[in-house]
């Protein structure tokens, strides 16, 4: 099995997913479209496509023309029946690729806050693995409408669509389930210096003090990924 992933900056990488993939015998490869990387694989060369987070907006195609090619590739991967998983920006890019609007949220959501899994999740063979309420790391300014045909699985106090499923092979998580304690600290170091503290944005030192949450999140994410192997 081969996992290909799109990375959009230097510090939001596979994190826990890399450890999990190695343990499961996956090989991996990466495209950095933000670096004008030409190395897009053939759709026959990979089994899973994972789209990671990043600071750009999924709608900023004029500023970042490579988003056009990335979304085209995502649409093709979905049509090919590849397993496609998006995290944070990745979830927004999937939504946009499927025709939904992506736009600035009413306010940023940054820090450790709960998400609530709904009745759809309870009835889903994958999302039902997760508890009704789960505290996770958020680091996003944007949100999205649900694509036609998608099923919303979770929400937070600030963000209506925190997770969705589209068909049998497409999964989106607005929150950062993949962060380890180390990669969470790196994200804080790189992006936490000028946070505008509010009800939905925690100070960097508060976020750092809660990084222990990633241990349980990684355990649950591992179960989630294990289940993806069976679909």
């Amino acid at each position: 099995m081969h996992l290909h992933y799109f990375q959009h900056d230097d510090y939001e990488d596979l994190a826990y997913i890399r450890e999990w993939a190695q343990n499961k015998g996956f090989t991996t490869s990466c495209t950095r479209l933000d670096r004008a990387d030409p190395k897009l694989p053939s759709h026959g060369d990979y089994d899973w496509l994972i789209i990671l987070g990043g600071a750009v907006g999924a709608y900023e195609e004029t500023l970042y023309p490579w988003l056009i090619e990335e979304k085209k590739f995502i649409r093709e991967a979905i049509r090919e029946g590849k397993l496609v998983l998006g995290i944070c920006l990745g979830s927004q890019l999937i939504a946009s690729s499927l025709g939904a609007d992506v736009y600035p949220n009413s306010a940023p959501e940054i820090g450790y806050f709960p998400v609530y899994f709904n009745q759809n999740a309870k009835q889903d063979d994958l999302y039902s693995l997760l508890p009704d309420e789960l505290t996770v790391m958020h680091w996003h300014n944007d949100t999205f409408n649900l694509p036609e045909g998608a099923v919303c699985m979770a929400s937070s106090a600030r963000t209506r669509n925190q997770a969705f499923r589209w068909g049998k092979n497409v999964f989106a998580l607005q929150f950062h389930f993949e962060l380890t304690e180390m990669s969470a600290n790196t994200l804080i170091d790189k992006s936490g210096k000028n946070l505008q503290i509010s009800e939905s944005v925690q100070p960097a030192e508060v976020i750092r003090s809660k990084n222990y949450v990633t241990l349980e999140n990684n355990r649950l994410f591992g179960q989630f990924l294990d289940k993806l192997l069976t679909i």
Side-chain angles (χ1 to χ4, degrees):
M1 294 280 281
H2 186 75
L3 183 158
H4 189 78
Y5 63 100
F6 289 156
Q7 185 171 334
H8 303 99
D9 58 39
D10 293 332
Y11 49 90
E12 293 188 66
D13 58 16
L14 283 179
Y16 173 75
I17 301 171
R18 185 180 304 282
E19 175 187 335
W20 177 88
Q22 289 173 344
N23 288 337
K24 298 298 178 180
F26 275 77
T27 54
T28 61
S29 57
C30 176
T31 298
R32 290 289 301 269
L33 283 160
D34 61 310
R35 294 180 174 176
D37 189 336
K39 297 177 183 177
L40 281 170
S42 163
H43 291 295
D45 291 342
Y46 67 95
D47 302 287
W48 286 24
L49 175 66
I50 295 185
I51 308 116
L52 298 173
V56 307
Y59 44 82
E60 294 183 304
E61 295 175 352
T62 301
L63 289 174
Y64 308 104
W66 48 265
L67 286 167
I68 298 170
E69 185 67 18
E70 181 167 11
K71 286 190 272 190
K72 177 176 178 287
F73 189 94
I74 293 169
R75 284 192 295 273
E76 292 171 351
I78 292 171
R79 285 198 300 267
E80 291 283 335
K82 301 297 182 178
L83 189 143
V84 179
L85 171 64
I87 296 171
C88 197
L89 171 61
S91 70
Q92 298 162 15
L93 287 168
I94 290 174
S96 180
S97 298
L98 290 171
D101 290 333
V102 181
Y103 47 89
N105 206 352
S106 58
E109 189 172 29
I110 299 174
Y112 285 99
F113 299 101
V115 291
Y116 304 96
F117 290 90
N118 59 29
Q119 193 62 38
N120 295 329
K122 298 180 196 304
Q123 297 172 357
D124 186 81
D125 59 346
L126 185 70
Y127 286 94
S128 60
L129 296 170
L130 303 175
D132 293 350
E133 179 180 336
L134 183 65
T135 296
V136 292
M137 168 77 93
H138 306 262
W139 206 295
H140 63 100
N141 295 301
D142 293 339
T143 188
F144 52 84
N145 293 336
L146 205 63
E148 183 177 354
V151 179
C152 179
M153 297 292 178
S155 304
S156 67
R158 178 64 60 181
T159 305
R160 181 173 71 250
N161 295 315
Q162 280 283 355
F164 70 82
R165 180 173 186 165
W166 190 90
K168 294 182 178 180
N169 62 312
V170 181
F171 305 88
L173 304 171
Q174 176 61 71
F175 53 89
H176 284 281
F177 224 7
E178 85 289 1
L179 290 177
T180 63
E181 189 165 7
M182 180 180 296
S183 63
N185 276 321
T186 300
L187 180 58
I188 296 165
D189 290 342
K190 297 294 185 180
S191 301
K193 295 177 181 177
N194 298 303
L195 294 176
Q196 300 297 310
I197 309 307
S198 69
E199 182 181 353
S200 60
V201 177
Q202 295 170 343
E205 60 272 19
V206 171
I207 302 172
R208 201 182 300 275
S209 74
K210 296 177 181 291
N211 280 345
Y212 64 87
V213 170
T214 60
L215 295 174
E216 175 63 8
N217 284 180
N218 291 167
R219 185 187 71 81
L220 290 169
F221 196 23
Q223 294 178 357
F224 185 95
L225 294 169
D226 287 347
K227 186 67 174 179
L228 282 179
L229 284 172
T230 71
I231 67 170

